Amino acid sequence: MRKQNWPKRDPIKNYFPLPNEIYALGLSSTAIAVYGYLLHREDRKTYQCLASYRMIGEAIGKCTNTVRKYVMELEERGLIRTERTTITTQDGRRQNGCLLYTILPIQMAIDQFYERQMCAAEVAAERQRVEQRRAAYEQKRGETVC
């Protein structure tokens, strides 16, 4: 057998980084696909990209309503920020353009995620304390009635 000479891959060319932390945020697979596509399209200097819901949907194989839902999820999680754009047609009319996506630093989203988890844990602990107090009060009340 002859030795196969595979072409060497440039580690930076034709690739984009997807942060490992994205998998710890509890995102759905479609949200990760949308985020990955936006990272693929972003300008590495401005951290922004222009894309329509239809363009994203065609790239990841989902309909525009589904893409809209997951873009909103990414915004709520603090991974991206969107801004509306307008275009001017040749006859001078202004129309809505694509959304301008800004990819936010992943550390902000991670901090926000952990902060939400801590708040949820505090609420659960407070709920448990109230339930214990209520049970003790009802037990005490039951003893005095008999």
Side-chain angles (χ1 to χ4, degrees):
M1 275 179 78
R2 286 183 348 131
K3 181 180 174 188
Q4 193 80 3
N5 287 331
W6 298 100
K8 293 207 176 228
R9 294 184 191 165
D10 184 6
I12 299 195
K13 191 175 182 181
N14 298 326
Y15 294 93
F16 65 95
L18 187 64
N20 292 335
E21 293 86 0
I22 198 75
Y23 299 104
L25 296 177
L27 294 172
S28 63
S29 60
T30 306
I32 292 172
V34 170
Y35 186 70
Y37 181 75
L38 293 175
L39 282 176
H40 164 70
R41 299 270 310 178
E42 83 171 335
D43 179 3
R44 301 284 189 264
K45 293 178 181 151
T46 63
Y47 305 108
Q48 293 182 331
C49 67
L50 279 170
S52 67
Y53 291 140
R54 187 183 56 145
M55 183 187 305
I56 297 169
E58 288 173 359
I60 66 170
K62 301 291 180 184
C63 69
T64 56
N65 287 336
T66 303
V67 171
R68 182 179 294 116
K69 178 176 120 178
Y70 289 108
V71 165
M72 287 176 43
E73 180 182 341
L74 292 172
E75 275 189 293
E76 289 171 3
R77 298 289 181 100
L79 291 166
I80 63 171
R81 187 177 56 231
T82 60
E83 298 173 36
R84 296 212 172 274
T85 60
T86 58
I87 60 169
T88 305
T89 60
Q90 290 180 344
D91 58 356
R93 292 182 296 143
R94 294 179 64 88
Q95 294 182 339
N96 290 334
C98 298
L99 288 176
L100 176 66
Y101 298 92
T102 304
I103 311 297
L104 300 174
I106 189 76
Q107 192 59 44
M108 288 173 44
I110 292 169
D111 293 342
Q112 184 181 21
F113 176 72
Y114 288 139
E115 191 173 309
R116 284 182 183 170
Q117 282 188 325
M118 290 298 292
C119 288
E122 289 171 2
V123 167
E126 183 62 29
R127 187 173 289 134
Q128 186 178 13
R129 282 193 294 272
V130 168
E131 188 63 34
Q132 287 173 348
R133 287 181 192 154
R134 187 182 65 77
Y137 174 74
E138 291 199 5
Q139 182 182 14
K140 184 185 224 184
R141 211 172 131 212
E143 291 175 2
T144 58
V145 172
C146 293

